[in-house]
Amino acid sequence: MKIIEVPAADAERLVPLLQDLHALHVAYQPERHIPAPGSDGLAGWLQGWLGAETIFALAAESPQGTLLGYLIYELQDRPALPLRPAETRAMLHHISVTGAWRRMGVGKALVEAMKARALDAGATVIAATYAPFNTASAALMKGMGMEPVLTMAEWRAKGSAP
């Protein structure tokens, strides 16, 4: 397995893994997510997102060229505020590992690669969000030395579901 950067032009390679990740979120929080979005729409959206200067995708690739997992992160320059110092934060937005390769170190390898790249780019904080039902992500983040620091609560108007 090797860790590669996935350019915006190759965004469609991430779609099957994104669909798996999204299906998990739909199963647990159907009121927040559109079920089964189309591949073309996802590929176009990913391509646009990955085209941003501060958004990066890494993938774990098998020797045969199959993607075993991916992550998407953003480098955020946060200016100083009266309440906190300036910081450059690497925000992990997505991580997904194909079912057959879970619990085999793929997620850990991806986060380690992201952390190394982010630190080289000047990041002083590595952060992630994950859903409360996603115990695999929670365990991965804890194993990488990341601890929860915030909890987000949400209210949704009736009829706002997809």
Side-chain angles (χ1 to χ4, degrees), residues 8 11-16 18-19 22 34-50 72 94:
E12 73 278 352
R13 293 187 72 194
L14 305 178
V15 169
L18 173 56
Q19 287 172 318
H22 184 71
I34 296 170
S39 296
D40 291 343
L42 289 174
W45 170 71
L46 280 172
Q47 188 171 26
W49 192 27
L50 296 178
I72 296 174
H94 284 198

Side-chain angles (χ1 to χ4, degrees), residues 115-129:
K115 184 177 179 182
R117 288 173 184 236
L119 293 175
D120 284 347
T124 56
V125 176
I126 309 293
T129 60

Side-chain angles (χ1 to χ4, degrees), residues 11-146:
E12 73 278 352
R13 293 187 72 194
L14 305 178
V15 169
L17 286 161
L18 173 56
Q19 287 172 318
D20 285 348
L21 175 63
H22 184 71
L24 175 68
H25 286 261
V26 170
Y28 282 91
Q29 296 175 332
E31 69 283 358
R32 294 191 79 225
H33 303 283
I34 296 170
S39 296
D40 291 343
L42 289 174
W45 170 71
L46 280 172
Q47 188 171 26
W49 192 27
L50 296 178
E53 191 174 308
T54 59
I55 304 291
F56 305 92
L58 301 177
E61 187 178 58
S62 75
Q64 295 77 26
T66 302
L67 294 190
L68 310 174
Y70 82 96
L71 65 72
I72 296 174
Y73 72 99
E74 177 180 9
L75 287 176
Q76 302 171 334
D77 284 320
R78 298 172 42 135
L81 299 174
L83 302 172
R84 66 159 171 77
E87 65 186 24
T88 299
R89 176 169 67 180
M91 174 56 78
L92 173 56
H93 290 294
H94 284 198
I95 186 164
S96 180
V97 175
T98 191
W101 286 89
R102 291 183 186 139
R103 303 192 56 82
M104 299 180 88
V106 173
K108 181 178 179 184
L110 286 165
V111 174
E112 286 174 344
M114 179 202 86
K115 184 177 179 182
R117 288 173 184 236
L119 293 175
D120 284 347
T124 56
V125 176
I126 309 293
T129 60
Y130 51 88
F133 61 80
N134 196 335
T135 57
S137 282
L140 175 61
M141 299 312 145
K142 185 171 181 69
M144 299 304 296
M146 300 167 71

